[in-house]
Amino acid sequence: MSLKLAILASGSGTNAEAMFKAVERGLLDADIRLVLANRPGAKVLERAERHGLPSVCVDHRAFPDRESFDDAVIRAIRSAGADTVALAGYMRLVTPAFLDAFPDRVLNIHPALLPSFPGVHGTADAHAWGVRLTGCTVHFVSPEMDCGPIIVQACLPVMQDESEDELQHRIHALEHRVYPQALQWLAENRLEIRGRRVFLKPAPAGRTAEVPANVLVWPALEEGF
Amino acid sequence: MSLKLAILASGSGTNAEAMFKAVERGLLDADIRLVLANRPGAKVLERAERHGLPSVCVDHRAFPDRESFDDAVIRAIRSAGADTVALAGYMRLVTPAFLDAFPDRVLNIHPALLPSFPGVHGTADAHAWGVRLTGCTVHFVSPEMDCGPIIVQACLPVMQDESEDELQHRIHALEHRVYPQALQWLAENRLEIRGRRVFLKPAPAGRTAEVPANVLVWPALEEGF
């Protein structure tokens, strides 16, 4: 079953681009109904256009409060025919009404091993802390920020002389693999939320993808990702 | 240079036992001068005796406050001729005076990927949260609990049907490898603290140990561990 997907982003949209490509390569079974940005001129809008995807800007500054803004976003998503939402560098907290509109169908990615380093500076905070391992987390969005049930986590070592930029670059590369994978699991109807835990049903033909040495992804990536 | 080591524990002492064995196998260059427990009858005392190691119980309940207790512990460690302290399931917060007595020579292990899940229930908290990856962290002890500079972290996947006990068992097995390794790096004078970051100088002959599939340890374990 194809996902009827809306992608919400605020900036450059590299995770959105990874989704576009995963769809084009036949890896991600999704119909991208809408790419929505909350900032005029967000580069993700250009990217969507280049891939021939419908896009819209809903400028949050034009709304008096979060509720009215989210209401406009919900309407845009629904009129595009989407029922699943991937937040991809979307710098807005979503309201409970937003989550109620798409129950258990809103995903987000965070550039750290949650619950470590929540918030908007995950990679920088991890780098400053001096952790040896960090990574990224794809999770279902719940009302409390960065706390929803975890679908997949990927980790990699922090090199001892590595700059924050270098680390961020490597984490992004990992994000671009695990986020489309998580969406594909959702498309295949293989994710089941039980309390705080997400169960992944086994693949019909369980082949795992190769990941670089010193990278650990769990559940394991499947072929192609 | 042999470490002049004191091991402090409160309970069963499986990490202490892993250190005893690493010394006996010639992996860990340490002279275990003292095994100290703060609870009479702690099993770690029996273990020490079985390995022919000096042990002592300093019962914290016999002291009016933390300062006087730590003072007695400091004196016991010093009179045993130790200058390095490994906390191994030691359920007491150490005082600033304790840390001042052995500057940058007090290590601890925590059964989670710090800064996630600090406190006394690391594994249980990680299990309850539903994380996909967890592990353990060896760090220098600083006045704030579970916040000191990190020497090594090891991570493993949480299986989706795994009980807390099973997870704990697998984390313990990992602890028993990384904690002696961290101490051996200290014995070889290869650890350098710079701010919150710990730099590991390269091994004279850099061979890495095998770790099970789906386990990531960073810095990599060296041969034998």
Side-chain angles (χ1 to χ4, degrees):
Chain A
M1 265 266 300
S2 254
L3 287 183
K4 294 172 214 155
L5 188 63
I7 301 172
L8 273 51
S10 299
S12 154
T14 58
N15 270 304
E17 176 97 25
M19 293 171 199
F20 304 165
K21 287 183 177 160
V23 171
E24 289 164 6
R25 290 164 58 209
L27 271 179
L28 171 56
D29 188 14
D31 185 6
I32 299 175
R33 299 286 179 101
L34 185 66
V35 176
L36 183 150
N38 65 304
R39 285 180 185 153
K43 201 175 156 198
V44 70
L45 297 170
E46 268 175 59
R47 290 187 197 265
E49 203 172 323
R50 213 177 313 134
H51 287 263
L53 294 167
S55 65
V56 67
C57 178
V58 182
D59 188 344
H60 66 275
R61 290 166 308 182
F63 294 83
D65 52 31
R66 252 169 6 146
E67 286 65 28
S68 58
F69 168 69
D70 263 13
D71 190 55
V73 175
I74 293 168
R75 278 184 287 113
I77 294 170
R78 283 190 171 144
S79 34
D83 60 11
T84 303
V85 180
L87 309 182
Y90 182 64
M91 307 307 276
R92 305 287 301 168
L93 285 174
V94 297
T95 55
F98 186 94
L99 296 176
D100 286 346
F102 310 104
D104 294 344
R105 305 294 287 186
V106 184
L107 275 68
N108 191 22
I109 191 159
H110 184 79
L113 293 174
L114 289 174
S116 278
F117 311 116
V120 293
H121 303 296
T123 308
D125 293 345
H127 189 267
W129 185 280
V131 289
R132 292 296 199 174
L133 298 172
T134 187
C136 61
T137 303
V138 180
H139 61 93
F140 286 106
V141 177
S142 65
E144 213 184 334
M145 188 179 67
D146 296 332
C147 282
I150 292 173
I151 299 169
V152 56
Q153 292 187 300
C155 95
L156 46 71
V158 182
M159 300 303 159
Q160 40 192 20
D161 283 314
E162 186 166 38
S163 71
E164 186 193 315
D165 278 356
E166 290 167 318
L167 178 60
Q168 189 165 62
H169 181 79
R170 296 197 300 126
I171 291 174
H172 280 166
L174 211 47
E175 292 179 22
H176 301 162
R177 299 182 68 178
V178 301
Y179 206 173
Q181 168 75 87
L183 289 166
Q184 179 58 15
W185 287 330
L186 190 67
E188 293 171 356
N189 204 19
R190 288 169 54 201
L191 298 176
E192 189 190 328
I193 304 175
R194 300 186 206 159
R196 291 201 48 79
R197 223 169 279 278
V198 180
F199 283 74
L200 171 66
K201 292 169 200 151
R207 286 185 58 184
T208 54
E210 298 227 345
V211 295
N214 288 329
V215 170
L216 177 52
V217 183
W218 201 258
L221 292 175
E222 292 166 7
E223 213 187 348
F225 288 95
Chain B
M1 263 263 304
S2 253
L3 288 182
K4 294 173 214 154
L5 187 64
I7 302 171
L8 274 51
S10 299
S12 152
T14 58
N15 270 304
E17 175 98 26
M19 293 171 201
F20 305 164
K21 287 182 177 160
V23 170
E24 289 164 5
R25 289 164 58 208
L27 271 179
L28 171 54
D29 188 14
D31 184 7
I32 298 174
R33 300 287 178 98
L34 185 65
V35 176
L36 184 149
N38 65 305
R39 284 181 186 152
K43 202 176 156 198
V44 70
L45 297 169
E46 267 175 57
R47 290 186 197 264
E49 203 173 323
R50 214 177 312 133
H51 286 262
L53 294 168
S55 66
V56 66
C57 179
V58 181
D59 187 344
H60 66 275
R61 292 167 306 181
F63 295 83
D65 52 32
R66 252 170 6 145
E67 286 67 27
S68 57
F69 168 69
D70 263 14
D71 190 56
V73 174
I74 293 167
R75 278 184 286 114
I77 294 170
R78 283 188 171 146
S79 35
D83 61 11
T84 303
V85 180
L87 309 182
Y90 183 64
M91 306 307 277
R92 305 288 299 170
L93 285 175
V94 297
T95 56
F98 186 95
L99 296 176
D100 287 344
F102 309 105
D104 293 344
R105 305 293 289 184
V106 184
L107 276 67
N108 192 23
I109 191 159
H110 184 78
L113 293 175
L114 290 174
S116 279
F117 311 117
V120 294
H121 303 295
T123 309
D125 292 345
H127 188 267
W129 185 280
V131 289
R132 292 297 198 172
L133 297 172
T134 187
C136 59
T137 303
V138 180
H139 61 93
F140 287 105
V141 177
S142 65
E144 215 184 332
M145 189 177 67
D146 296 331
C147 283
I150 291 173
I151 299 168
V152 56
Q153 293 188 299
C155 97
L156 45 70
V158 182
M159 300 303 160
Q160 41 192 22
D161 283 313
E162 185 167 40
S163 70
E164 187 194 314
D165 278 355
E166 290 167 319
L167 178 60
Q168 189 165 61
H169 181 78
R170 294 196 302 125
I171 292 175
H172 280 165
L174 212 46
E175 293 180 20
H176 301 163
R177 298 182 70 179
V178 301
Y179 207 173
Q181 168 75 87
L183 289 166
Q184 178 60 14
W185 287 330
L186 190 66
E188 293 171 354
N189 205 20
R190 287 168 54 200
L191 298 177
E192 191 189 327
I193 304 175
R194 301 186 207 159
R196 292 201 47 80
R197 224 169 277 280
V198 180
F199 284 74
L200 172 66
K201 292 170 199 150
R207 286 185 58 184
T208 54
E210 299 227 344
V211 294
N214 287 329
V215 171
L216 177 52
V217 183
W218 201 259
L221 292 175
E222 292 167 6
E223 212 186 351
F225 288 96

